[in-house]
Amino acid sequence: MRKFLLILKYHGADFVGWQVQKNGLSVQQCLQDALETMLGHRPDVTGCSRTDSGVHAEGYCAVFCSDTDKECKRISLGLNAILPDSVSVWDCVEVDPEFHPRYDAKAKEYVYRLYDGMSPDPFLRGLAWHYKGFLDTDKMQKAADRLVGRHDFRSFMAQGSKIVDTTREIYWCRVTRRDRLIEIHVCGDGFLYNMVRIIVGTLIFVSRGRLAVEDMPRVLSALDRSAAGQTAPAEGLYLHKVYYKTPGKEEMP
Amino acid sequence: MRKFLLILKYHGADFVGWQVQKNGLSVQQCLQDALETMLGHRPDVTGCSRTDSGVHAEGYCAVFCSDTDKECKRISLGLNAILPDSVSVWDCVEVDPEFHPRYDAKAKEYVYRLYDGMSPDPFLRGLAWHYKGFLDTDKMQKAADRLVGRHDFRSFMAQGSKIVDTTREIYWCRVTRRDRLIEIHVCGDGFLYNMVRIIVGTLIFVSRGRLAVEDMPRVLSALDRSAAGQTAPAEGLYLHKVYYKTPGKEEMP
């Protein structure tokens, strides 16, 4: 049996998320259907994480096993010929049979895209959230810096989530701007439910003056969702990259 | 009577083009409808050029007259609240009553966006043309350089077009790449029907070796559509910017 790793891009608007669900089309199901068409058998597909409905991915990692003798390049081409426009196989590599896309992940990087100003941009529809106003990215970066490190992020977890250990480490959180487009890259060892979207909403509260940069330690230590800002909409969020330990190299990141 | 210049962005896929037509929704009609809702009267809207069905604009210029006492900023906000997601007023300024968006234009700049490689990109769907293969942008730039200047561009005009004077001046034609995304900016004093799309198709022929860089003078002098390359699809084409003479400044570009 061979094991293949697929790097996927998908547009979240067309799916109920990664995982197979009863209430709509998931990326996982879509991929299994395409694999079945191409291979003649229906392999299980294991992903690196769940993504919520509407969330995009530009570096999603998923594996499947098959005894096919096809080359990786032919698998990519074949799947892309079958898959809808909203999902694309960006790369396919053969991996060790022991490799697991979730358990072997050392870090994940998300990016949140938004743009400010009063005019909506028809070319960013569904690809970035439009914040109607002006954002102070310098201030947002200063607040973001206070979140880096190992903390209990309970204040940044959606209410109703049942996770017990809410400590996570954030390796970096970078706010960059090019004209009106703002990107917030967050890399960490793991993320709680809605954590990145709540971080983004909190940085926006800081820009608007509803929270101060100096309030960030207090927001963290409150361990209470209501201390943080609003949850930014799903349409701006992308799973950007998953980092794996490369044998013989220093651990990532 | 006051005269207002609107700078518009629109996503071409949703329209039959700029100009009012019987077979579908045009940007002009969409804008007139919105102005009528906002102002209570239906002003004529004059645009800087026709754009074809499916072609995008990120700096379209259109004017209308009204005796409204609204500030420009309120006009932008008001229109953006009424217009569909596919059209946006990027700016609104009051102009001289003599100003004409077509006759006073000194140059127009288009950009054609495409990307190469074998995998389709779900985030560029409808925003850039996917060329399934690899393009040699250095070679394309060399061929593009041969088109700069004043030439008879009959070979780069869609068949059936009835224009008599087919001489135009191209001020620049720049091919740039960022990862897989390629942009071809073309600025000139005017463009024949499908001219930019045929230029792009011809540069692709050069990359593929179906034409050589040295063939470009021959393609021009043939004065025959069949000497040039194919017409690239509309979805990659954007009217990028219209240049007007600024009083007191050197003529643009």
Side-chain angles (χ1 to χ4, degrees):
Chain A
M1 230 23 181
R2 300 163 73 197
K3 196 168 200 170
F4 298 94
L5 167 64
L6 301 173
I7 313 289
L8 304 171
K9 287 192 189 230
Y10 56 82
H11 193 297
D14 297 18
F15 301 101
V16 294
W18 163 258
Q19 189 152 309
V20 169
Q21 286 186 39
K22 283 182 186 156
N23 61 337
L25 186 67
S26 65
V27 183
Q28 190 180 28
Q29 187 193 327
C30 200
L31 191 61
Q32 281 175 333
D33 291 348
L35 283 165
E36 186 171 6
T37 303
M38 187 177 68
L39 301 171
H41 68 100
R42 190 175 180 86
D44 279 334
V45 175
T46 307
C48 58
S49 71
R50 292 186 178 202
T51 57
D52 282 348
S53 181
V55 173
H56 311 294
E58 48 194 12
Y60 195 91
C61 293
V63 299
F64 69 95
C65 293
S66 173
D67 53 11
T68 179
D69 55 5
K70 280 183 197 289
E71 286 172 50
C72 285
K73 201 181 156 185
R74 306 253 32 115
I75 292 173
S76 290
L77 286 170
L79 287 173
N80 282 331
I82 299 165
L83 287 165
D85 283 355
S86 42
V87 193
S88 172
V89 176
W90 209 246
D91 205 359
C92 173
V93 284
E94 197 168 346
V95 288
D96 189 276
E98 298 300 307
F99 177 81
H100 194 289
R102 186 159 73 249
Y103 305 140
D104 291 345
K106 296 299 166 195
K108 288 196 190 102
E109 183 176 351
Y110 284 88
V111 55
Y112 195 93
R113 298 197 165 100
L114 72 164
Y115 66 101
D116 62 358
M118 297 312 292
S119 307
D121 188 331
F123 306 115
L124 292 175
R125 259 191 304 182
L127 298 176
W129 176 46
H130 180 202
Y131 177 83
K132 290 188 194 73
F134 296 93
L135 290 169
D136 182 340
T137 45
D138 291 337
K139 224 171 170 185
M140 290 165 73
Q141 179 64 69
K142 285 195 184 92
D145 290 343
R146 310 292 171 105
L147 298 176
V148 173
R150 194 158 192 84
H151 303 287
D152 187 333
F153 281 98
R154 187 167 290 272
S155 298
F156 294 85
M157 179 173 73
Q159 263 157 345
S161 192
K162 292 194 177 60
I163 303 280
V164 177
D165 178 10
T166 48
T167 297
R168 297 290 182 275
E169 183 165 356
I170 290 192
Y171 301 119
W172 67 73
C173 184
R174 293 176 192 142
V175 183
T176 58
R177 176 194 280 279
R178 202 176 59 209
D179 297 325
R180 284 174 55 184
L181 185 67
I182 297 164
E183 289 194 347
I184 303 171
H185 282 259
V186 193
C187 183
D189 61 355
F191 292 89
L192 304 168
Y193 191 53
N194 280 355
M195 181 166 150
V196 178
R197 291 164 58 186
I198 299 169
I199 288 176
V200 171
T202 305
L203 299 183
I204 287 171
F205 265 30
V206 172
S207 170
R208 292 169 59 191
R210 290 193 53 175
L211 284 170
V213 171
E214 297 69 33
D215 289 332
M216 298 307 279
R218 188 184 55 72
V219 171
L220 278 165
S221 63
L223 303 180
D224 177 3
R225 173 68 189 87
S226 67
Q230 284 175 307
T231 306
E235 66 183 299
L237 185 61
Y238 296 70
L239 174 57
H240 179 66
K241 192 174 175 175
V242 185
Y243 295 90
Y244 294 101
K245 189 177 175 175
T246 311
K249 286 195 184 177
E250 284 306 299
E251 203 160 323
M252 276 299 302
Chain B
M1 235 13 189
R2 299 163 75 197
K3 196 169 199 169
F4 298 93
L5 168 63
L6 301 173
I7 313 289
L8 304 171
K9 287 193 189 233
Y10 56 82
H11 193 297
D14 296 17
F15 300 102
V16 293
W18 163 258
Q19 189 151 307
V20 169
Q21 285 185 40
K22 283 181 186 157
N23 61 336
L25 185 66
S26 65
V27 183
Q28 190 181 28
Q29 187 193 325
C30 200
L31 191 60
Q32 281 175 333
D33 291 348
L35 283 165
E36 187 172 3
T37 303
M38 187 177 69
L39 301 171
H41 69 99
R42 190 174 181 86
D44 279 334
V45 175
T46 307
C48 60
S49 71
R50 293 185 177 201
T51 57
D52 282 348
S53 180
V55 172
H56 311 293
E58 47 194 12
Y60 195 92
C61 293
V63 299
F64 69 95
C65 293
S66 174
D67 52 12
T68 180
D69 55 5
K70 280 183 198 290
E71 284 172 51
C72 285
K73 201 181 156 185
R74 308 257 26 120
I75 292 173
S76 291
L77 287 170
L79 287 173
N80 283 332
I82 301 166
L83 286 165
D85 282 355
S86 43
V87 192
S88 171
V89 176
W90 209 247
D91 205 359
C92 173
V93 284
E94 197 167 346
V95 289
D96 189 276
E98 298 301 308
F99 176 80
H100 193 288
R102 188 159 73 251
Y103 304 141
D104 290 345
K106 297 299 167 196
K108 287 193 190 105
E109 183 176 352
Y110 284 88
V111 56
Y112 195 93
R113 298 196 166 101
L114 72 164
Y115 66 101
D116 61 359
M118 297 313 291
S119 307
D121 188 330
F123 306 115
L124 292 176
R125 261 192 301 183
L127 298 175
W129 177 45
H130 180 202
Y131 177 82
K132 290 189 195 74
F134 297 93
L135 290 169
D136 182 341
T137 45
D138 290 338
K139 224 172 171 185
M140 289 166 73
Q141 180 64 71
K142 286 197 182 90
D145 290 342
R146 310 292 171 104
L147 297 175
V148 172
R150 193 157 193 83
H151 303 288
D152 187 334
F153 281 99
R154 188 165 288 270
S155 298
F156 294 86
M157 179 173 74
Q159 262 156 346
S161 192
K162 292 194 176 61
I163 303 280
V164 177
D165 179 9
T166 48
T167 297
R168 297 288 183 276
E169 183 165 358
I170 291 191
Y171 301 119
W172 67 72
C173 183
R174 292 175 193 143
V175 183
T176 58
R177 176 194 279 279
R178 201 174 61 207
D179 296 325
R180 285 175 54 184
L181 185 66
I182 297 164
E183 289 194 346
I184 303 171
H185 282 260
V186 193
C187 182
D189 61 356
F191 291 90
L192 303 169
Y193 190 53
N194 279 356
M195 183 166 149
V196 178
R197 291 163 59 186
I198 299 169
I199 287 175
V200 171
T202 304
L203 298 183
I204 287 171
F205 264 31
V206 172
S207 170
R208 291 169 59 191
R210 289 193 53 174
L211 284 171
V213 171
E214 297 69 32
D215 289 333
M216 297 308 279
R218 189 184 56 70
V219 171
L220 279 166
S221 63
L223 304 180
D224 178 3
R225 172 70 188 86
S226 66
Q230 285 176 306
T231 307
E235 66 183 299
L237 186 61
Y238 296 69
L239 174 57
H240 178 66
K241 191 172 177 177
V242 185
Y243 294 90
Y244 294 101
K245 188 177 176 176
T246 311
K249 286 195 185 176
E250 283 306 298
E251 202 160 322
M252 277 298 301

